[in-house]
Amino acid sequence: STEVPIVVAAGKVGITSRGAAQDFPRIVEVPFSSTRKLMLTACLTAGTTTLGDGGLAMPQGTSIVACVKGAPSYVLDACNQWAGPGGQLCSLGMEARSQVERAVDDLSSQALRVLAVAVRALPQLPFHLEESSEITAE
């Protein structure tokens, strides 16, 4: 399953499936689409200020965290920052982007399936929750 490596990586920063469901209740899910090559969930932060124990700090005023997983090139195209080794947000410039692309190419050349995961803290949804049923995978 594509979920196993994500669960393992999350566990390394203190996020467990039980804890995630409690700390970040899901309010929207847009399933994977072969057209978009990614899936999205939006979760309430329920007052949590970091992603995991000692993890990435969320800006003040964050009430929702959007999470995307999918094909690295599609996810990377939507990103302009990355979390550095200490959890600080850094600009995702051309050099860093190229480094990520080389790592993806290296792993792919070993016949490994590579997924990217991205998160964005939001003060609110960019649409009304009632409209979420109109969002389709395509």
Side-chain angles (χ1 to χ4, degrees), residues 19-28 41-51 58 62-67 120 122-125 129:
Q22 183 176 356
D23 294 342
F24 302 100
R26 186 176 297 177
I27 56 173
V28 174
T41 61
C43 303
L44 296 173
T45 60
T48 305
T49 59
T50 62
L51 290 175
M58 292 186 280
T62 297
S63 65
I64 295 171
V65 63
C67 304
R120 169 156 282 169
L122 302 168
Q124 61 189 28
L125 285 174
L129 193 55

Side-chain angles (χ1 to χ4, degrees), residues 21-87:
Q22 183 176 356
D23 294 342
F24 302 100
R26 186 176 297 177
I27 56 173
V28 174
E29 180 177 328
V30 179
F32 179 83
S33 156
S34 58
T35 304
R36 264 198 335 268
K37 308 274 191 240
L38 52 85
M39 74 164 292
L40 172 134
T41 61
C43 303
L44 296 173
T45 60
T48 305
T49 59
T50 62
L51 290 175
D53 297 333
L56 182 65
M58 292 186 280
Q60 187 173 7
T62 297
S63 65
I64 295 171
V65 63
C67 304
V68 175
K69 79 169 181 180
S73 61
Y74 285 77
V75 174
L76 198 56
D77 283 347
C79 295
N80 58 17
Q81 294 180 315
W82 69 285

Side-chain angles (χ1 to χ4, degrees), residues 69-121:
K69 79 169 181 180
S73 61
Y74 285 77
V75 174
L76 198 56
D77 283 347
C79 295
N80 58 17
Q81 294 180 315
W82 69 285
Q88 74 283 5
L89 291 180
C90 305
S91 176
L92 183 62
M94 292 306 293
E95 184 177 332
R97 188 176 299 270
S98 293
Q99 186 177 359
V100 171
E101 290 168 345
R102 283 191 303 275
V104 168
D105 289 345
D106 180 51
L107 293 168
S108 296
S109 72
Q110 299 173 49
L112 297 172
R113 183 158 184 218
V114 182
L115 290 175
V117 176
V119 296
R120 169 156 282 169

